[in-house]
Amino acid sequence: MKRFSRVFLLACLSLALLTVTALADTGPKSKLTVKVKNAPQELYYLDLLSMEGAPRHPSLTEEELAALDPELYSALLAAIPAGWHGCVSQGTDGAPIWGELTPDENGCHTFSYYGVPWTYRVLMVTESGEVFLSEVQTRRMLQSSVTVYWAAKSLSAAPLWAGYALELLSTLVPTLLLEGLLLALLGLWNRRNLLVFLAANVATQLAMFLILGTTALKEGVGFGYYLLFIPLELVILLAETVAYRRLFTETSKRRATVYGISANLCSAVLGWFLAEPVWKFIVSIS
């Protein structure tokens, strides 16, 4: 049994290391999606404005520039306030950005890659000469979205607390359900054990959220996330197993140990595979 457990643990660690290596060069990049509600019923250009550095890295090719409406493009450039520059219309400071001045089929403008500024403004200029310039905004997540309400000439973003709350619940709820089911299947379900189980998991999942959840929202689920995931899960496994051995009642220490190890391994595997889908979901509604 001990030999099997060691082999199983080594296999899990090997798989984790291989996955981390594969993700090292393909980690998530900055992305900001600007949604336009009640968009103008005419041609318009929308750009992100940055005050970081100077526009030395062109974002548009000569062919893309030639395809733009020259008068509207000139109006867009003329509307850029002093001290700012257009990330797509003029370029970025050394780091590339991908984006379009015109909306996609969903009425959205997506700006991505390294050149997306953390502090920015949104500028819209229509063919008839209407202009909207947002207040200064600051991104607090690696990937997020904002909405321009054209009729009201205003911009809003989803509250940051909502993303953090979803991130916490997305790890806490599945863990409680999965490990609670194992608690019942192993015949350990009683009032004392349930209270110990709840206290241990709320504490460890809160710690997981503070370390990994905030990392996911600020940096995305990439190399850094998985690099922290493995040692953190091992520490949680050890801490919870020790707590169960000492505090569980009406059972042997051996059964409590088996439960602590098996429950944490199962929830760790679940957390590993849910991390990226959950992060993408939170980003999509933020």
Side-chain angles (χ1 to χ4, degrees), residues 94-136:
I97 184 174
W98 296 331
E100 298 287 341
L101 299 178
T102 53
D104 61 18
E105 62 274 10
N106 298 314
C108 296
H109 302 256
T110 300
F111 304 92
S112 61
Y113 216 55
Y114 293 104
V116 179
W118 286 97
T119 300
Y120 67 93
R121 300 174 80 175
V122 174
L123 174 64
M124 283 182 63
V125 178
T126 69
E127 197 171 24
S128 62
E130 289 191 85
V131 176
F132 167 67
L133 178 63
S134 76
E135 297 295 327
V136 178

Side-chain angles (χ1 to χ4, degrees), residues 102-176:
T102 53
D104 61 18
E105 62 274 10
N106 298 314
C108 296
H109 302 256
T110 300
F111 304 92
S112 61
Y113 216 55
Y114 293 104
V116 179
W118 286 97
T119 300
Y120 67 93
R121 300 174 80 175
V122 174
L123 174 64
M124 283 182 63
V125 178
T126 69
E127 197 171 24
S128 62
E130 289 191 85
V131 176
F132 167 67
L133 178 63
S134 76
E135 297 295 327
V136 178
Q137 308 292 318
T138 301
R139 291 194 301 123
R140 291 182 173 83
M141 295 170 57
L142 183 74
Q143 296 188 2
S144 58
S145 64
V146 294
T147 302
V148 171
Y149 296 92
W150 175 249
K153 300 296 190 294
S154 63
L155 181 146
S156 69
L160 188 63
W161 65 263
Y164 281 95
L166 285 172
E167 184 69 35
L168 174 60
L169 292 175
S170 69
T171 58
L172 178 60
V173 173
T175 297
L176 291 178

Side-chain angles (χ1 to χ4, degrees), residues 43 45 64-76 101 127:
L43 179 64
Y45 289 158
E64 289 172 326
L65 281 171
L68 295 176
D69 181 289
E71 292 186 4
L72 185 53
Y73 179 64
S74 296
L76 178 72
L101 299 178
E127 197 171 24

Side-chain angles (χ1 to χ4, degrees), residues 164-228:
Y164 281 95
L166 285 172
E167 184 69 35
L168 174 60
L169 292 175
S170 69
T171 58
L172 178 60
V173 173
T175 297
L176 291 178
L177 292 175
L178 178 60
E179 296 192 15
L181 177 61
L182 289 175
L183 190 75
L185 290 176
L186 289 177
L188 301 172
W189 191 282
N190 62 49
R191 183 183 167 134
R192 162 82 176 187
N193 293 352
L194 181 59
L195 290 175
V196 172
F197 159 77
L198 289 174
N201 276 281
V202 169
T204 55
Q205 289 305 309
L206 183 59
M208 175 80 78
F209 162 72
L210 291 174
I211 298 173
L212 282 183
T214 53
T215 297
L217 293 177
K218 292 179 180 178
E219 300 178 14
V221 176
F223 178 76
Y225 181 95
Y226 288 110
L227 189 64
L228 287 171

